[in-house]
Amino acid sequence: MPIRVAHIGTGNVGRLALAGLIESPHYELTGVWVSTPEKVGKDAGTLAGLDVSTGVNAVDSIGALLATEPECVVYCAMGDTRIQEAIADCREILSAGVNIVGSSPGLLMYPWQVLPHKYIDPVHEAAKEGNASLFVTGVDPGFANDLLPLALAGTCQRIEQVRCSEIADYATYDGAIVMFDVMGFGKPLEEVPMLLQPGVLSIAWGPAIRQLAVGLGVEIDSITEEYERIPAPEAFDVAAGRIPEGGLAALRFQVRGMVGDAPVIVVEHITRLREDLCPDWPQPAQAGGSYRVEITGEPNYLVDICPTSRKGDHNHAAIVAAAGRIVNAIPAVVAAEPGIRTTLDLPLIGRPGVIAPS
């Protein structure tokens, strides 16, 4: 029997996850919730960018969504700029007895030692009340800095450092809220954006570092952060909008899990809006962008992950991968014990999507 699944959010990740649900024989789509008024009433197939009619029309309330009696909700609503609202949504869904798999709120990926218990405990209580589970994942934070490094680390005799890097050109990424409001691209360098406010990087990637540390059996003493920003030499356009001369055009940051004075777990992002910017910074393994896992130890590893897609570039491929990780995890989360579940709890391999000849 297909698993009954409802869906929330039709942005970059949500639209592709919704398409995955519609196209998979493993799931029955029961409902879609959207926050944009003009999307209300539209068919889920249209919202997913598919040339199909599902007979499932978008609603604008969680109550209406839960009335369709799903076993699981795929939650891909924006969480970066509405953390408390996203957590409240999850509590309502869990307490109704419905499991959640999604891309947000990212802090619930591994919240311990990152969020105060006043935020974690109510989620656990809601999950216990509803006998339901929650799993938040993605690509980075996500499988590029939990599943993949843990798999490699399992072959090592000794580990001194694990470094997970995203090296990417974001010129084709059209998420304006993330690009401009969260990361601050295009803004004057004297203006510090949300992501670079003191402590925010450590909160955003803290769950990934804490989870990886637990998986490696390491006790992190502290998490530190640093960043470097480069202005645009002249004005130019990207998919999300215009970058003025002098506005932020390249960003490099590191979030480090420290054991004493040693950075044992490092998450690094090198983000350019043009390939010619900052040639001295690390370069991707393929044109446009790649992910990199480096382990210093015995043996050493340097593994480049190069996502590609027949339907788009490296940015599109990475989002497809994030959506695939979410959709494929649904059966394991539905079967899991109630509570906040993590990569450390779930099977290594999720149920694959549709397998068909090309």
Side-chain angles (χ1 to χ4, degrees):
M1 289 286 291
I3 298 173
R4 292 174 59 81
V5 183
H7 185 85
I8 295 177
T10 55
N12 283 326
V13 176
R15 179 176 56 83
L16 294 173
L18 179 58
L21 293 174
I22 293 170
E23 294 180 328
S24 173
H26 302 304
Y27 309 116
E28 176 188 347
L29 184 68
T30 68
V32 178
W33 175 39
V34 294
S35 58
T36 306
E38 54 265 30
K39 292 182 179 180
V40 176
K42 289 191 175 182
D43 188 272
T46 300
L47 294 173
L50 302 175
D51 188 21
V52 298
S53 176
T54 65
V56 176
N57 297 327
V59 299
D60 59 0
S61 74
I62 288 182
L65 192 77
L66 295 177
T68 66
E69 300 184 348
E71 300 169 68
C72 184
V73 163
V74 169
Y75 190 91
C76 293
M78 171 60 72
D80 294 339
T81 57
R82 49 183 296 279
I83 294 172
Q84 293 192 29
E85 293 89 342
I87 291 176
D89 290 343
C90 291
R91 288 173 56 190
E92 181 176 352
I93 295 165
L94 291 169
S95 63
V98 180
N99 301 282
I100 300 173
V101 182
S103 59
S104 72
L107 288 169
L108 295 183
M109 186 176 295
Y110 193 93
W112 301 280
Q113 297 180 286
V114 179
L115 276 178
H117 278 282
K118 67 178 182 179
Y119 295 111
I120 303 173
D121 292 346
V123 177
H124 267 301
E125 291 166 6
K128 184 177 179 181
E129 177 186 347
N131 193 34
S133 301
L134 173 146
F135 177 57
V136 177
T137 187
V139 55
D140 186 341
F143 67 80
N145 37 45
D146 55 41
L147 188 65
L148 296 179
L150 285 171
L152 293 170
T155 71
C156 293
Q157 295 179 353
R158 186 186 77 256
I159 295 174
E160 298 168 16
Q161 185 185 85
V162 176
R163 177 180 293 266
C164 304
S165 304
E166 179 189 89
I167 310 169
D169 184 338
Y170 271 30
T172 60
Y173 181 71
D174 62 358
I177 292 177
V178 172
M179 288 279 288
F180 298 138
D181 299 340
V182 177
M183 301 183 76
F185 281 112
K187 302 292 180 67
L189 266 60
E190 58 267 23
E191 183 177 330
V192 181
M194 171 184 163
L195 184 65
L196 303 180
Q197 294 292 329
V200 173
L201 286 171
S202 297
I203 292 174
W205 275 269
I209 288 174
R210 294 290 183 184
Q211 178 174 224
L212 194 49
V214 170
L216 296 172
V218 175
E219 186 171 338
I220 296 296
D221 295 322
S222 63
I223 295 178
T224 67
E225 58 191 48
E226 68 176 17
Y227 64 84
E228 181 179 358
R229 296 183 292 167
I230 301 298
E234 64 270 333
F236 60 95
D237 294 317
V238 296
R242 188 160 182 80
I243 307 299
E245 180 180 352
L248 177 62
L251 169 65
R252 182 180 186 179
F253 67 76
Q254 292 189 45
V255 188
R256 300 178 295 251
M258 308 293 291
V259 176
D261 295 330
V264 173
I265 299 172
V266 181
V267 173
E268 180 179 33
H269 275 225
I270 296 99
T271 309
R272 301 173 173 90
L273 298 188
R274 280 195 343 209
E275 290 185 353
D276 64 317
L277 297 173
C278 308
D280 55 319
W281 289 2
Q283 297 291 331
Q286 68 172 359
S290 61
Y291 297 89
R292 183 169 294 162
V293 178
E294 298 177 73
I295 296 181
T296 305
E298 182 57 39
N300 298 312
Y301 281 107
L302 193 158
V303 177
D304 285 310
I305 300 97
C306 301
T308 63
S309 170
R310 298 174 183 177
K311 299 180 180 180
D313 67 359
H314 60 285
N315 282 320
H316 177 80
I319 299 170
V320 171
R325 174 77 168 138
I326 291 164
V327 171
N328 292 338
I330 291 171
V333 176
V334 169
E337 292 294 315
I340 299 173
R341 303 272 65 91
T342 75
T343 292
L344 302 177
D345 304 316
L346 299 183
L348 179 64
I349 301 173
R351 174 176 288 173
V354 175
I355 299 176
S358 60

